[in-house]
Amino acid sequence: MKVPERYDLAGTMRGLALVGGDPTLSVGARTSWFATRTPDGPGSIRFDLTGDELTWEAFGPGADWLLERPDAIAGLRDDLTGFAELARAHPLVHRLAREHAGLRMATTGRVFHHLVPTILGQKVSGKEAAHGYVRILRKFSEPAPGPCAGLYLPPEPEVIAATPYWAFHPLGVEQKRADTLRRAAAQAAALERCADAVSCTARMVSIAGIGPWTAAEVTRAAYGDVDVVSVGDYNIKNTVAFALTGAARGTDEHMLELLAPFAPHRGRVCALLARAGIAAPRFGHRMALRSFASF
């Protein structure tokens, strides 16, 4: 498949990593992998970018399911209609939209896959979330099909739902997050049946322990929601305030006001800021750790 000019395979696929070093992904500028559990079973898909052509190959029982939507997973169904005009509302956003014109928002179609690392990221540092996720995959999952060494599948929801909360303690996950994870796993089948991001969000936030921040992180990856904003994230509100006004700190309310002119591409603006490595100044050791103010 021919890709848009300056298509950013690495940046697009990296957007699916809701914790650092996500073992269900292997991301490179020319070759990237994604592994998941499909309705047909485990599968992995490899994307190879050569010039302006993107090719792919899938492995495992879930290969056929993955091959029905490789362009969506690679962000090539992402609709940028109207964004170029909206981006002109702010000089920095306008510049980033040009500099990172190849960045796309991927759509995996898998909800529980992304719900696990997002729940693990509630109210802890990014390092803690990543370590917990790796430990859970090593204990409750297995290597993905295909020849990519180190690529893992997400856990099966049935396994997580049946595991007592105390079994997560040695993995660095306390009872509150473990119970949320188990409740989400019990609802996984219903979540996967949701037709769109709106209905999925409503079902997710009906589960005790899941709030708007968690739902936003998940729907961005699962549905490619380009407008959703992660309200409640400690860093994002500060990053947006700093990038668009120069203020070192912001609030969720101010962030939403600043992003309002970019609807329905507010989430895309946040993705561009992240891809450009823009962040608000950090003060002291505590600020050096990514934390999540609410979930």
Side-chain angles (χ1 to χ4, degrees):
M1 172 181 283
K2 189 171 183 177
V3 298
E5 186 178 359
R6 297 165 56 201
Y7 169 65
D8 184 358
L9 174 63
T12 298
M13 298 301 292
R14 196 172 288 118
L16 296 176
L18 303 187
V19 297
D22 185 338
T24 67
L25 289 161
S26 176
V27 178
R30 294 298 168 187
T31 299
S32 288
W33 288 79
F34 172 68
T36 193
R37 294 188 188 274
T38 80
D40 299 331
S44 67
I45 185 166
R46 183 185 69 221
F47 294 98
D48 293 301
L49 182 62
T50 304
D52 62 354
E53 290 290 330
L54 187 69
T55 58
W56 45 74
E57 184 177 7
F59 305 84
D64 288 344
W65 188 91
L66 290 166
L67 291 175
E68 291 174 359
R69 50 189 53 78
D71 55 335
I73 297 170
L76 296 177
R77 295 186 191 178
D78 184 13
D79 185 2
L80 280 82
T81 300
F83 181 62
E85 293 75 16
L86 292 174
R88 296 191 181 98
H90 193 283
L92 174 63
V93 177
H94 188 205
R95 175 170 65 81
L96 294 181
R98 297 195 312 271
E99 291 179 356
H100 300 282
L103 184 67
R104 294 294 184 271
M105 304 290 276
T107 303
T108 68
R110 308 310 297 150
V111 175
F112 187 70
H113 179 131
H114 303 295
L115 194 48
V116 175
T118 308
I119 289 172
L120 294 175
Q122 293 176 349
K123 291 192 174 183
V124 300
S125 71
K127 184 177 180 180
E128 288 177 88
H131 285 177
Y133 191 40
V134 169
R135 293 185 188 114
I136 282 177
L137 295 193
R138 287 176 178 170
K139 183 174 178 63
F140 297 113
S141 190
E142 67 273 1
C148 184
L151 192 69
Y152 265 74
L153 293 164
E156 292 190 54
E158 296 82 4
V159 173
I160 297 297
T163 301
Y165 76 85
W166 47 261
F168 293 91
H169 289 181
L171 309 178
V173 181
E174 84 294 340
Q175 182 175 353
K176 186 174 183 179
R177 284 183 298 152
D179 282 343
T180 301
L181 195 58
R182 293 168 64 245
R183 286 190 292 266
Q187 294 290 319
L191 289 169
E192 301 293 358
R193 289 195 298 268
C194 291
D196 51 39
V198 173
S199 59
C200 188
T201 294
R203 183 170 286 275
M204 277 193 285
V205 298
S206 72
I207 300 171
I210 294 179
W213 177 83
T214 301
E217 294 285 297
V218 172
T219 56
R220 182 182 302 109
Y223 292 93
D225 190 335
V226 301
D227 195 47
V228 68
V229 180
S230 296
V231 173
D233 188 283
Y234 179 84
N235 286 324
I236 292 175
K237 62 188 177 185
N238 295 329
T239 295
V240 171
F242 177 69
L244 301 188
T245 72
R249 294 291 177 266
T251 64
D252 284 328
E253 293 75 18
H254 190 211
M255 172 183 69
L256 293 175
E257 289 176 8
L258 293 171
L259 292 174
F262 303 104
H265 293 274
R266 297 175 302 167
R268 192 186 305 281
V269 173
C270 295
L272 284 171
L273 296 177
R275 185 67 177 119
I278 295 172
R282 298 181 178 186
F283 307 113
H285 175 69
R286 289 174 62 85
M287 291 298 186
L289 296 175
R290 183 181 180 190
S291 60
F292 305 97
S294 66
F295 53 89

